[in-house]
Amino acid sequence: MTERFSIGELGRRTGCKVVTIRYYEQIGLLDAPERGEGGHRVYERAHLDRLSFIRRARDLGFSHDDIRSLLTLSTGPAAGPCQAVDHVAAAHLDAVRAKISDLRRLELILVSVLDQCGRTTVEACCVLDALRAPSAEDGVRPAFVTTV
Amino acid sequence: MTERFSIGELGRRTGCKVVTIRYYEQIGLLDAPERGEGGHRVYERAHLDRLSFIRRARDLGFSHDDIRSLLTLSTGPAAGPCQAVDHVAAAHLDAVRAKISDLRRLELILVSVLDQCGRTTVEACCVLDALRAPSAEDGVRPAFVTTV
DNA sequence: TATACGATCTATAGTCCCTATAGGTTCAAG
DNA sequence: CTTGAACCTATAGGGACTATAGATCGTATA
């Protein structure tokens, strides 16, 4: 009695959008399943497990490349060492921490700028001042933040 | 004696890559400059100021849309109120703070997972465990982090 | 003056991780 | 049998760039 689900059901069980599942298949993160008579995808337990893994890893911010490594490692020799896994996770943790400290610096600057600026004019606006000339906190040149 | 610079010089003075300057022109963030005889871009003081503004705003994590607003506001009536500017900055600060708290949650989870996992096997790896089944911190389903 | 080399030009595609749209087909309930 | 939800493919978009290719320009040196 093998369980078999449609793409919609798989999506519901993993909290993953249908389009995203198809996208994961397209980029080779999730195996292409068999097709039913009408051409609809028919998934099995293994797909559910793998997609759950992928989703949890994404929730933790791992990139697709990281996830590929983790999946390969997780299906490798069960008795083998897990150093490589730890390494991926540790590198990710470093990246998370770096991002946090970047954002904290940003937060401080924004707070200090906003604090000074109480309903003044455009001419005297502290926020705009901070952008018009090198900021008070000199040497602020992060060059890292792409999206917030 | 109007100052005039090449794109390379402008890049050097603003810490902005040449390709990025051309890109900003393409998306209408920076005005297209005049061209010299050979077709090379010739920039003036106003471009330098505007690009500096843009770069500082990017360093602070403002989006292109935010920057467009800020630029419009900064060139508006000098005696007008700067509430709108403050509003953009305050909204951005909120976004930065939200991102920080997201990342901190991630950090905690990664730390706790990595702490438990001392050179074990793939089979017993805590990191992989956290991905294979719902994590110890139950209800972890951020659905927010895209890039770190 | 010839030449070499760096700086510039345009146009296009790729990155990351999806999301959205259009237009068609299949499935399941009533 | 009909309706409507779910499914299918293919393609384009988004944000903020980055990379590549192939051509032209400008300038310093021999």
Side-chain angles (χ1 to χ4, degrees):
Chain A
M1 49 167 289
T2 12
E3 302 157 281
R4 322 192 108 227
F5 348 94
S6 68
I7 195 168
E9 183 61 24
L10 183 64
R12 242 165 280 127
R13 296 200 189 199
T14 54
C16 186
K17 291 186 184 169
V18 166
V19 280
T20 308
I21 297 174
R22 284 197 283 253
Y23 167 71
Y24 286 164
E25 178 183 323
Q26 194 186 305
I27 63 169
L29 211 49
L30 190 64
D31 282 348
E34 285 178 32
R35 298 294 182 113
E37 302 219 341
H40 289 195
R41 290 169 177 82
V42 179
Y43 292 95
E44 298 174 36
R45 183 75 213 182
H47 294 104
L48 177 60
D49 290 343
R50 194 169 167 106
L51 183 55
S52 300
F53 187 104
I54 293 169
R55 280 279 95 191
R56 282 194 268 272
R58 286 296 302 134
D59 285 346
L60 290 176
F62 287 100
S63 70
H64 286 174
D65 269 1
D66 284 346
I67 295 175
R68 262 182 248 274
S69 304
L70 292 171
L71 280 166
T72 304
L73 292 166
S74 83
T75 54
C82 74
Q83 293 168 325
V85 173
D86 288 15
H87 185 261
V88 171
H92 181 50
L93 176 56
D94 283 351
V96 168
R97 284 178 163 157
K99 189 76 184 180
I100 289 172
S101 82
D102 285 352
L103 289 172
R104 283 239 274 247
R105 242 182 307 158
L106 245 60
E107 187 194 9
L108 285 181
I109 297 170
L110 288 169
V111 166
S112 84
V113 162
L114 277 165
D115 268 2
Q116 294 168 49
C117 203
R119 60 202 79 250
T120 62
T121 62
V122 162
E123 200 170 25
C125 177
C126 296
V127 176
L128 292 176
D129 262 7
L131 297 170
R132 283 188 189 124
S135 74
E137 283 83 341
D138 215 27
V140 172
R141 214 134 260 297
F144 46 73
V145 177
T146 51
T147 45
V148 177
Chain B
M1 51 165 290
T2 12
E3 304 157 280
R4 323 191 106 228
F5 345 97
S6 68
I7 195 168
E9 184 59 25
L10 184 62
R12 241 166 280 126
R13 296 199 189 199
T14 54
C16 186
K17 292 186 183 169
V18 166
V19 279
T20 307
I21 297 174
R22 284 197 282 253
Y23 166 70
Y24 286 164
E25 180 182 323
Q26 193 186 306
I27 63 169
L29 212 49
L30 191 64
D31 282 347
E34 285 178 33
R35 299 294 182 115
E37 302 220 340
H40 289 194
R41 289 168 177 83
V42 180
Y43 292 96
E44 299 176 36
R45 183 75 213 181
H47 294 103
L48 177 60
D49 290 343
R50 194 170 167 107
L51 183 55
S52 299
F53 186 105
I54 294 170
R55 280 278 94 191
R56 289 198 197 93
R58 286 295 302 134
D59 285 346
L60 290 176
F62 287 100
S63 70
H64 286 173
D65 270 1
D66 283 346
I67 295 174
R68 262 182 248 274
S69 304
L70 291 171
L71 280 166
T72 304
L73 292 165
S74 83
T75 54
C82 75
Q83 292 167 326
V85 174
D86 288 16
H87 185 262
V88 171
H92 182 49
L93 176 56
D94 283 350
V96 168
R97 285 179 163 157
K99 188 78 183 180
I100 289 173
S101 81
D102 284 353
L103 289 172
R104 282 239 276 248
R105 242 182 308 159
L106 245 60
E107 187 193 10
L108 284 182
I109 297 171
L110 288 169
V111 166
S112 84
V113 162
L114 277 165
D115 269 2
Q116 295 169 47
C117 203
R119 61 202 80 250
T120 62
T121 62
V122 163
E123 201 170 23
C125 178
C126 295
V127 176
L128 292 176
D129 262 8
L131 297 170
R132 284 190 189 121
S135 75
E137 285 83 339
D138 216 28
V140 172
R141 213 134 260 299
F144 46 73
V145 177
T146 51
T147 45
V148 176

